[in-house]
Amino acid sequence: MDIESIRKEFESFHKILNPPLVRFLKRIYRGRNGEDIIDLKSLKYNKYKKGLLEKVKKHKDFVWVDNGKEGGIAFDECLKILEDSWYEIANDRNLEEWDRKEREGYIKQTQTLRNKYYHPIEGRHASEDDLLVCAEIFYKFGTSIDMSHAELEEIYSIKKILAKEVYSLTELDTDMESITKAREKPIDI
């Protein structure tokens, strides 16, 4: 996979992260005390999303098919639901406080990256360094929401390609800097 393919992949990274996030929320929502653990206030208090709240409650899911028409909660909204519910999820999973806070950080970082790259400034594209940071955070986020091994492996393989590209560029930059400095030194005759 080349860098442009990876960049395109990450411009729509919600396609990689949303299915496991939806599965994670669904499993908790349908589980023991799930309706008490999953906080749907972001759907409840938004007049544009009230219909979504009823659909989540009806289907006990975050994606559905109603009358042959597919629907669901968008990735950014699923992230908000996860953030609003994280304290209760962590308590239900008996996570240590340090673990709860660390995973909460990955959730917030994923939200930040989603907002930054989903609505990019015109003409600005993610650099290889940016993509490498994204891949690292997405991998850690994925472990927080119990992504499958295959899904984590997909992110990890992209991360390896990016690391190879970034570190070879860094070496090239360092080599060019050394050559430039060597040329600037006066030669004693």
Side-chain angles (χ1 to χ4, degrees):
M1 185 179 286
D2 67 342
I3 292 297
E4 279 308 307
S5 300
I6 293 169
R7 188 171 279 122
K8 286 178 184 166
E9 185 86 18
F10 274 88
E11 286 175 356
S12 60
F13 67 83
H14 63 279
K15 292 177 184 174
I16 296 171
L17 299 176
N18 199 48
L21 175 56
V22 165
R23 279 194 317 270
F24 181 75
L25 292 172
K26 174 181 162 180
R27 187 177 70 241
I28 294 169
Y29 192 66
R30 288 184 175 181
R32 175 184 49 83
N33 300 321
E35 292 183 34
D36 295 327
I37 294 170
I38 298 297
D39 187 342
L40 299 173
K41 70 181 172 202
S42 64
L43 299 177
K44 184 177 183 178
Y45 297 116
N46 187 324
K47 66 181 180 181
Y48 300 109
K49 298 178 183 173
K50 282 198 190 241
L52 294 178
L53 177 61
E54 281 73 40
K55 295 215 186 234
V56 168
K57 288 182 175 186
K58 174 184 173 186
H59 297 280
K60 291 197 174 284
D61 202 345
F62 297 86
V63 293
W64 53 79
V65 176
D66 242 357
N67 299 323
K69 189 175 178 184
E70 290 183 10
I73 306 298
F75 179 62
D76 61 325
E77 195 62 43
C78 283
L79 281 171
K80 179 70 176 135
I81 291 168
L82 179 63
E83 179 189 24
D84 291 344
S85 308
W86 186 249
Y87 185 80
E88 292 300 325
I89 292 170
N91 282 342
D92 188 61
R93 298 175 94 193
N94 297 316
L95 295 179
E96 298 285 334
E97 184 176 354
W98 66 268
D99 196 16
R100 177 186 61 80
K101 286 182 178 182
E102 183 175 56
R103 292 172 188 230
E104 183 177 37
Y106 301 140
I107 294 165
K108 290 180 183 294
Q109 289 173 330
T110 300
Q111 286 176 306
T112 299
L113 292 171
R114 182 260 172 216
N115 293 338
K116 182 176 181 179
Y117 292 114
Y118 193 75
H119 304 290
I121 298 169
E122 191 172 323
R124 184 188 182 282
H125 300 286
S127 70
E128 287 81 5
D129 286 335
D130 293 339
L131 293 172
L132 183 57
V133 169
C134 289
E136 180 65 28
I137 290 168
F138 297 159
Y139 187 88
K140 290 177 179 180
F141 172 78
T143 62
S144 298
I145 61 166
D146 304 333
M147 272 179 126
S148 73
H149 180 73
E151 291 163 330
L152 289 171
E153 193 61 38
E154 180 182 359
I155 295 172
Y156 185 74
S157 66
I158 291 170
K159 185 176 141 186
K160 284 188 339 189
I161 293 166
L162 286 166
K164 184 178 177 182
E165 185 70 25
V166 167
Y167 293 125
S168 69
L169 288 175
T170 303
E171 289 170 11
L172 180 62
D173 289 344
T174 303
D175 290 345
M176 291 303 290
E177 190 176 309
S178 301
I179 292 168
T180 304
K181 285 183 179 178
R183 288 185 181 157
E184 292 173 358
K185 291 183 182 175
I187 302 173
D188 287 335
I189 301 181

